[in-house]
Amino acid sequence: MTEISLLVCTRNRGVSLSRTLDSITRAARAAAHIALEVVIVDNGSTDDTADRLEVWAGTQQFPVVCVAEPRAGLSRARNAGLARVQGRIVAMTDDDCVLHTGYLAALAERFAAVDRLAVIGGRILPGDPADLPVTIKLEDHPMTAPRGAFPGGFVMGANLAFTRDVLTAVGPFDERFGGGARFVSAEDTDFLFRALGRGISVDYDPSFVVDHHHGRRRPADVVALLAGYGFGDGALYAKHILTDRRILAAIREDLRLMLADVRTSARPFPYIRHFHVFRARQKLQGFAAYALASLRRPGRGTTPVSAR
């Protein structure tokens, strides 16, 4: 019986993917007693990804399931992979991440005592000191997300695990969100938000770790990334505002942070003046975009406009 299913989605990152795959091999060797399967979704790659996957899969001691999802979109790719997983524990990482050697052993140990539906995110360290400090998770102590909170950034899809029965309770990723989709990002936040709303605990545990080689080294790259995060969060606000009072609480918190922002000189990112005002502006744009799309195409998804 498969204990852990590890899901990796990839698109046109052959060299980076090989680094990820090598780290999976090392982690699997260090935890040979764990029944592992790896599910890899090729999300329409046009580089040598397919060849690299074929070579790597043929040399592993554990099952490797390769899935083709030609329609661009991270949520689409994740859903295609999640439809194939067999493990009691489902873990996800990205094709620009490197698993620490003890990753699988730590993951199995953390979930060994779990006898309920659970979502747990792990630690994300910078993979390259030249990369700017973004899309990382550095806390060295366990945490639990408050049930009434908006979970944006609490844990991240680059290192996220859950019991497989969570999928039945929460449902698939919303394919309108995430890289390659109309609303750019926030697919993992939406998944976490829905899990919390169903009474499922969302925890952070620093014991299972990946290094993130995201490659963003220019301030402009980080500004664009954070703008996309804000846009996606704003679209999520619009998605849930009529059905979930937690959104109103999140908006009130945004207003509090925005007012505090203009009264101080603190800058979490030195190249973004009034960071929370910046975030609020992007969220407003995302909210408006979702509302407009809903009016134009009620009850239907949107078409991806770009690949991640």
Side-chain angles (χ1 to χ4, degrees):
M1 180 178 178
T2 303
E3 183 175 1
I4 296 176
S5 296
L6 178 63
L7 172 63
V8 181
C9 300
T10 189
R11 178 179 170 86
N12 287 335
R13 283 182 175 169
V15 173
S16 175
L17 176 65
S18 289
R19 184 169 51 200
T20 303
L21 298 178
D22 289 345
S23 75
I24 295 172
T25 301
R26 292 190 296 270
R29 287 174 180 166
H33 61 290
I34 295 173
L36 170 71
E37 71 168 2
V38 176
V39 178
I40 303 179
V41 182
D42 185 351
N43 194 201
S45 296
T46 56
D47 62 0
D48 62 349
T49 288
D51 293 337
R52 290 174 184 267
L53 280 176
E54 182 179 4
V55 171
W56 180 80
T59 62
Q60 304 310 305
Q61 301 300 309
F62 47 82
V64 178
V65 180
C66 294
V67 179
E69 174 47 84
R71 298 173 303 161
L74 179 55
S75 289
R76 280 178 171 167
R78 283 180 173 161
N79 287 339
L82 291 171
R84 302 288 295 275
V85 298
Q86 299 295 320
R88 182 182 79 89
I89 305 162
V90 178
M92 302 191 309
T93 193
D94 290 341
D95 58 1
D96 56 359
C97 290
V98 171
L99 276 59
H100 282 205
T101 301
Y103 177 92
L104 293 171
L107 186 69
E109 181 178 358
R110 177 63 178 84
F111 275 88
V114 172
D115 58 359
R116 53 182 169 74
L117 281 68
V119 180
I120 307 174
R123 200 175 192 191
I124 306 172
L125 299 179
D128 190 319
D131 292 347
L132 293 172
V134 67
T135 60
I136 53 178
K137 187 76 179 174
L138 303 180
E139 289 87 345
D140 61 0
H141 55 278
M143 300 182 292
T144 297
R147 291 288 173 89
F150 188 77
F154 179 77
V155 291
M156 303 179 194
N159 190 5
L160 188 66
F162 43 86
T163 52
R164 184 157 55 100
D165 47 9
V166 166
L167 293 172
T168 302
V170 176
F173 283 85
D174 188 332
E175 295 181 0
R176 298 170 296 177
F177 292 82
R182 173 66 180 89
F183 300 118
V184 181
S185 65
E187 79 293 339
D188 47 1
T189 302
D190 179 57
F191 187 83
L192 299 171
F193 187 81
R194 288 184 281 137
L196 286 169
R198 286 160 177 78
I200 299 170
S201 178
V202 174
D203 299 324
Y204 166 76
D205 191 300
S207 63
F208 54 100
V209 189
V210 302
D211 295 332
H212 194 186
H213 295 260
H214 60 76
R216 295 179 179 89
R217 300 178 179 179
R218 300 183 307 144
D221 295 334
V222 175
V223 171
L225 178 72
L226 296 176
Y229 286 167
F231 185 88
D233 284 349
L236 278 190
Y237 284 7
K239 175 184 175 180
H240 294 288
I241 192 168
L242 296 180
T243 58
D244 199 309
R245 66 182 64 184
R246 289 177 293 165
I247 297 301
L248 294 178
I251 292 173
R252 286 195 295 269
E253 177 64 7
D254 287 343
L255 291 173
R256 185 191 69 80
L257 291 172
M258 188 169 58
L259 290 173
D261 199 11
V262 298
R263 293 170 181 165
T264 69
S265 58
R267 288 192 181 187
F269 294 92
Y271 29 84
I272 300 178
R273 187 169 183 266
H274 298 320
F275 173 71
H276 293 292
V277 175
F278 166 82
R279 286 270 294 166
R281 185 168 60 248
Q282 306 305 322
K283 288 179 180 181
L284 183 59
Q285 292 177 6
F287 190 103
Y290 186 96
L292 184 59
S294 297
L295 289 173
R296 287 176 173 173
R297 305 176 68 185
R300 298 175 61 186
T302 57
T303 302
V305 296
S306 63
R308 64 187 181 279

